[in-house]
Amino acid sequence: MSEPRPTRILAVDAEIPDPAAIDEAARVLNSGGLVAFATETVYGLGAVATDPEAVARIFAAKGRPSINPLIVHVDDVDRARACVSEWPAIADQLAAQFWPGPLTMVLPRSFAIPDVVTAGLPTVGVRCPALLVARNLIARCDRPLAAPSANRSNRLSPTRAEHVLADLDGRIDLILNSGPTSVGLESTVLDLSTDPPRLLRPGPIDAERLSEALGGHAPILPSTDSSTDRPSSPGQMPVHYAPRTPAYRVDSAEEYRDRPDLAGWAIIQFGPEPIEPDARTARQICLDSPERAAHRLYDVLHILDHLQPPGIVVVMPPDRPEWRAVRDRLLRATRPIAERPRSS
Ligand code: TXA
Ligand code: MG
């Protein structure tokens, strides 16, 4: 084992990135290093996707199981096409409509993409991020970048450089700090290698918009109950993206009121109508719309982990399409309250 090296941080504007900072980050990446950078969704931990040794370092730094494939980030369609062996017309249409942006398309991979990136799968996920700092970096490297979210495996995704540093300090070479991310929730993952396409991970681009773009053909949706389902895609584990604080979910405010043992806990709720404030609660957080919830969810969970209440109780948003992506992450971040003994 080599000695941990301190992680350097370079501040850079997200929309007007300083070319000198991009040059330096590209130099680190092209010599096999790891650089965390922002996208519009969450911070990614990048390595050159065509360099298997560099990609292996991502798995080591994150403690990520080698069966969990990485998304390959590109700066345009041409670079995406070089990563795949088939680029169907529908990929062109989806790219025209949603790229650059938070859509990952899974397609048969080309020989340019090594096994370690895809965990040996015959497919690869490709995505062109909207944030300019990410695309400038890929362009400057002149190579696709494999980049999972820049957190230790099974921890919360980072929406700020500070989150990356807290998880990965000494394990990666550089963080490009361009401030908080705007979308806040990981990209939608759509598998186009099957017919019909399958939604592997709900995200900022919802199934309804995808159906429209697919000419009215709805993609196959993942099961809504991820706690009992088998992972829909490798890496989509039932408990994932979890805070360190014990976190449980209830379906209604009544279910919460019925639990006096939750005194002193923080409560997170969703939708426009906050429940009656409760003297028992340490903090009450209300995220009123799906967009705001996506934007703030990980940040709020990071803050609560810092404040260390005895626990977090999440009042689940309704099981409706507009809340699908947020519900998916909440189902992975929490356990059902029934799993907590009342006496403890
Ligand atoms: O928004 C995002 O997608 C962020 C930013 C950094 O781009 N990245 C991200 O990566 O969330 P990660 O590694 O945390 O999640 C990647 C997801 C996993 O659920 C993985 O299983 C799935 O994409 N995935 C990647 N390649 C796949 C493939 N070939 N087949 C099926 N699923 C795949
Ligand atoms: Mg992740």
Side-chain angles (χ1 to χ4, degrees):
M1 278 291 288
S2 54
E3 282 291 299
R5 282 169 297 167
T7 296
R8 285 189 300 146
I9 303 174
L10 277 179
V12 61
D13 190 89
E15 301 303 334
I16 320 168
D18 176 3
I22 298 294
D23 279 356
E24 175 57 10
R27 190 193 61 74
V28 172
L29 286 164
N30 281 340
S31 44
L34 301 184
V35 175
F37 59 92
T39 74
E40 72 281 20
T41 60
V42 300
Y43 273 75
L45 178 59
V48 167
T50 51
D51 177 346
E53 282 164 26
V55 174
R57 282 186 202 112
I58 293 181
F59 285 87
K62 283 184 57 105
R64 180 172 175 115
S66 58
I67 55 156
N68 192 350
L70 307 181
I71 293 173
V72 172
H73 294 68
V74 296
D75 53 339
D76 60 20
V77 166
D78 284 346
R79 208 181 297 279
R81 294 182 80 135
C83 299
V84 302
S85 61
E86 282 167 43
W87 181 259
I90 188 63
D92 243 353
Q93 285 167 36
L94 291 169
Q97 193 164 344
F98 299 114
W99 279 8
L103 175 66
T104 297
M105 295 193 261
V106 172
L107 288 160
R109 69 161 152 153
S110 75
F111 289 114
I113 302 301
D115 273 342
V116 61
V117 171
T118 69
L121 293 175
T123 54
V124 61
V126 286
R127 145 162 146 82
C128 178
L131 201 69
L132 196 60
V133 68
R135 275 184 289 130
N136 280 10
L137 182 60
I138 299 160
R140 190 73 182 100
C141 288
D142 199 18
R143 292 183 170 83
L145 296 180
S149 51
N151 51 280
R152 295 293 283 266
S153 194
N154 290 336
R155 299 254 77 106
L156 296 172
S157 288
T159 56
R160 297 172 185 269
E162 293 79 1
H163 302 156
V164 180
L165 190 68
D167 248 18
L168 296 172
D169 192 13
R171 306 178 74 89
I172 65 176
D173 299 290
L174 180 67
I175 301 172
L176 277 182
N177 179 4
S178 57
T181 62
S182 57
V183 175
L185 219 57
E186 303 89 343
S187 63
T188 304
V189 180
L190 182 69
D191 188 353
L192 292 176
S193 72
T194 60
D195 190 16
R198 274 167 58 96
L199 185 66
L200 298 180
R201 180 171 71 183
I205 294 174
D206 64 32
E208 288 63 33
R209 286 173 72 199
L210 289 175
S211 296
E212 258 171 57
L214 295 167
H217 299 293
I220 297 176
L221 298 179
S223 152
T224 49
D225 185 3
S226 56
S227 62
T228 56
D229 204 12
R230 282 182 302 137
S232 57
S233 111
Q236 284 291 77
M237 304 304 172
V239 173
H240 197 45
Y241 315 103
R244 283 189 293 274
T245 314
Y248 290 91
R249 60 179 178 270
V250 296
D251 284 316
S252 67
E254 288 66 47
E255 232 184 302
Y256 163 70
R257 288 200 195 90
D258 189 37
R259 296 289 301 230
D261 56 313
L262 306 186
W265 284 34
I267 179 169
I268 308 177
Q269 49 184 133
F270 300 88
E273 288 154 38
I275 62 171
E276 279 291 291
D278 185 322
R280 289 183 298 160
T281 331
R283 308 269 163 163
Q284 191 172 4
I285 298 117
C286 188
L287 299 170
D288 59 1
S289 68
E291 294 70 33
R292 200 173 139 67
H295 177 55
R296 290 287 294 159
L297 179 65
Y298 288 135
D299 211 24
V300 163
L301 292 173
H302 278 289
I303 292 169
L304 291 179
D305 261 350
H306 199 73
L307 293 173
Q308 294 186 309
I312 301 169
V313 60
V314 169
V315 186
M316 291 295 283
D319 190 359
R320 285 207 295 265
E322 66 272 26
W323 289 102
R324 188 178 289 126
V326 168
R327 278 181 59 93
D328 171 79
R329 303 312 188 274
L330 290 171
L331 287 170
R332 293 169 208 286
T334 62
R335 296 180 178 284
I337 191 73
E339 286 183 13
R340 183 175 192 272
R342 278 172 183 263
S343 52
S344 65

